[in-house]
Amino acid sequence: MVVPTRNAPVAPGALPVIGHAWPLMRRPLQFARQLSDQGELVEVRLGGVRALVPCRPELLWRVLTDDRVFDKGGPFFDRVRATIGNGVGSCGFVEHRRQRRLIQPSFHPARLAGYAAVMEQEAAALTGNWRAGRIVDAYQELFGAALRTVLRTLFAARDADAVVDRFRNPVETVLHQLTFRMFVPPSLQHLPLPVNRRFDRAVGELRRGIADLVTELRRGGTDRGDLVSALIAARDGEDGAQDGLNDDEIHDQVLTLVVAGADSVAAAVSWALHLLHDHPDVRDQLEDEVDTVLAGRVAGADDLPGLPCTARVITEALRLYPPGWLFTRVTTDDTELAGHHLPAGTTVAFCAPAVHRNPSVYRRPEVFDPDRWLPERARGLPRGAFAAFGGGARKCAGEAYGLTESTLLLSTIIARCRLRLAPGSDVRPVALSTALRPRRLLMEVTTRRGRAT
């Protein structure tokens, strides 16, 4: 294994064999926050792998934007790729440019307006089921709504309920085991254990379901306005070529979107609701905004420009609890970072909380302060200071989709009810899911009559 020739400081607390995996999984945010105290580039040990974590925005920005040298890969990412395929989120540099060009039209603003209509319907259905006095598991409820949204926008299927019923259990199984399996040696993943059989069965069910729906859409031959129709129709015209995505590539893109889409949105809105409960002054400000703009109705795409406070709350929740909080890159050539020589093959860990919670980057970084995203304040932040969606050419293609859905969900919930933390909640972050989510966010529903209604 290749390691840097000039040693970076090593994070404290490494254990034999597993290294920092235990504190990283048990207290991910505290562990990430303390890394910046050790230096600007810190070594962590994940089992037998040594990885360097950039803790300064300019270093993280370099890693994110120089994707030829800092390529997607490493033993952890290779294990993810073996599960969700070689889609745009997991493929290497060589394939990424072509895949990105082909999927980008799927997220064109004209199509996003159609997706937003589905988001609006699902937000209405979610809050319509919440009655005063009911205790809801906020993350689970939001996950269901977000999964329905991503499946309906991927496949404009005739029977959306049947599609959701077919996919929900296997999607949850994959989401809740994928990150954990990153740290489990491949030899253990192939043992005939019940947990491995469940995971393999879930992946198989997802792939078969996707294959059936893609076949149905291809047979129909018409653009239904959904994401998969756009993927089927995509053509790469670079250098005169007109190649599209084959079925295997479409399957990988769809699996990536399903895995990433539902969990991230549900986690972001869950954390926003938790933070608003603890900060009634911000909640009051948000209620004033949605009462003025929505007057009790469901939020739609046309309302987004009038909901800047809601957008700031979502952004601040993403800063404090970024869904995709740990990824790895591998250097493809000898390079230098923060004065350290990194030979080809060095693992670099992209850990957004190490920057998001760095006190030299943000004033009072542990404090929930949505107004830090007011334009006059945010413009002073360096590039790389906010990396919830990555950066550079590999920045998340679904950023606008995720922010739109999160904003519509949160504003509709705030307009229609007030949620209060209920006994039995456990808001410690779960690090083993694909997104950093609360363990159990129980909230009691109370109805409210908006001040502007």
Side-chain angles (χ1 to χ4, degrees):
M1 183 180 302
V2 180
V3 298
T5 55
R6 177 184 168 192
N7 292 332
V10 179
L15 299 173
V17 182
I18 64 172
H20 295 100
W22 174 248
L24 188 63
M25 294 295 103
R26 188 165 176 263
R27 300 184 306 276
L29 296 178
Q30 293 92 324
F31 182 85
R33 159 65 186 87
Q34 293 166 7
L35 290 178
S36 62
D37 296 337
Q38 308 302 314
E40 55 185 2
L41 190 67
V42 182
E43 181 183 300
V44 298
R45 296 173 181 174
L46 307 173
V49 177
R50 297 184 177 189
L52 295 176
V53 179
C55 300
R56 295 286 303 169
E58 63 274 15
L59 301 181
L60 179 56
W61 186 250
R62 163 89 190 286
V63 170
L64 293 175
T65 55
D66 191 354
D67 57 328
R68 186 192 67 79
V69 172
F70 298 94
D71 199 3
K72 282 281 180 81
F76 306 113
F77 226 105
D78 291 343
R79 294 170 197 172
V80 171
R81 188 180 292 128
T83 298
I84 66 173
N86 199 42
V88 70
S90 54
C91 67
F93 173 82
V94 174
E95 301 99 335
H96 180 259
R97 294 296 193 270
R98 171 180 173 271
Q99 290 199 25
R100 183 66 180 240
R101 284 194 302 270
L102 284 165
I103 74 161
Q104 199 63 53
S106 305
F107 296 99
H108 189 276
R111 285 189 177 269
L112 190 58
Y115 307 153
V118 176
M119 298 170 186
E120 180 179 351
Q121 294 164 14
E122 292 299 332
L126 175 71
T127 53
N129 289 328
W130 289 359
R131 298 288 182 261
R134 179 181 170 187
I135 305 293
V136 299
D137 186 329
Y139 169 80
Q140 291 296 334
E141 294 275 322
L142 288 162
F143 176 77
L147 179 61
R148 286 184 58 86
T149 299
V150 74
L151 290 174
R152 289 183 60 196
T153 53
L154 276 166
F155 309 104
R158 287 185 292 272
D159 189 349
D161 289 336
V163 172
V164 174
D165 289 343
R166 181 176 185 179
F167 278 80
R168 174 149 189 166
N169 285 338
V171 167
E172 286 185 320
T173 299
V174 171
L175 286 174
H176 298 159
Q177 289 192 38
L178 188 59
T179 301
F180 172 75
R181 291 170 71 88
M182 287 171 59
F183 298 97
V184 175
S187 58
L188 296 181
Q189 296 182 25
H190 297 303
L191 292 177
L193 302 174
V195 65
N196 290 335
R197 287 199 294 267
R198 283 195 300 271
F199 185 84
D200 294 340
R201 185 165 55 247
V203 172
E205 289 173 1
L206 281 178
R207 289 198 170 275
R208 286 191 295 275
I210 292 168
D212 290 346
L213 290 168
V214 170
T215 299
E216 178 187 338
L217 285 169
R218 282 198 187 277
R219 188 182 299 124
T222 58
D223 187 343
R224 300 181 185 179
D226 57 18
L227 274 158
V228 175
S229 293
L231 292 174
I232 291 172
R235 293 294 181 271
D236 185 3
E238 188 174 81
D239 300 327
Q242 291 296 321
D243 294 332
L245 294 165
N246 60 39
D247 279 358
D248 287 341
E249 290 175 320
I250 290 175
H251 296 165
D252 289 349
Q253 306 301 344
V254 170
L255 190 52
T256 298
L257 294 170
V258 169
V259 168
D263 209 17
S264 298
V265 168
V269 180
S270 294
W271 287 121
L273 292 172
H274 167 59
L275 291 163
L276 289 169
H277 173 271
D278 288 345
H279 296 82
D281 54 332
V282 179
R283 182 197 62 207
D284 290 345
Q285 183 183 357
L286 195 56
E287 287 178 350
D288 284 340
E289 177 176 272
V290 300
D291 288 346
T292 301
V293 176
L294 304 180
R297 60 180 172 79
V298 178
D302 292 341
D303 298 311
L304 291 173
L307 298 169
C309 179
T310 312
R312 292 196 299 272
V313 167
I314 292 293
T315 302
E316 180 69 346
L318 288 168
R319 181 188 71 83
L320 288 167
Y321 301 97
W325 64 282
L326 182 66
F327 301 102
T328 57
R329 301 283 176 93
V330 173
T331 56
T332 59
D333 205 346
D334 288 8
T335 190
E336 177 272 339
L337 191 65
H340 296 265
H341 175 69
L342 277 58
T346 300
T347 298
V348 178
F350 158 32
C351 182
V355 172
H356 288 186
R357 291 175 176 252
N358 187 333
S360 69
V361 180
Y362 291 98
R363 180 174 174 267
R364 299 191 303 160
E366 306 297 326
V367 173
F368 174 62
D369 178 14
D371 282 350
R372 72 172 81 242
W373 299 106
L374 288 166
E376 60 271 21
R377 291 179 61 182
R379 71 170 59 101
L381 291 171
R383 292 186 301 179
F386 182 76
F389 296 97
R394 301 209 68 138
K395 191 175 186 180
C396 177
E399 176 185 11
Y401 180 108
L403 288 175
T404 296
E405 185 180 4
S406 299
T407 304
L408 295 181
L409 269 172
L410 181 61
S411 56
T412 297
I413 291 169
I414 296 300
R416 292 187 157 195
C417 57
R418 179 175 286 181
L419 300 178
R420 183 169 57 212
L421 199 66
S425 292
D426 183 352
V427 296
R428 290 176 297 168
V430 175
L432 294 180
S433 184
T434 52
L436 205 62
R437 62 176 178 85
R439 292 173 188 264
R440 187 173 173 83
L441 182 60
L442 299 180
M443 307 198 85
E444 181 182 357
V445 179
T446 60
T447 55
R448 58 177 294 268
R449 188 175 298 277
R451 289 182 282 276
T453 304

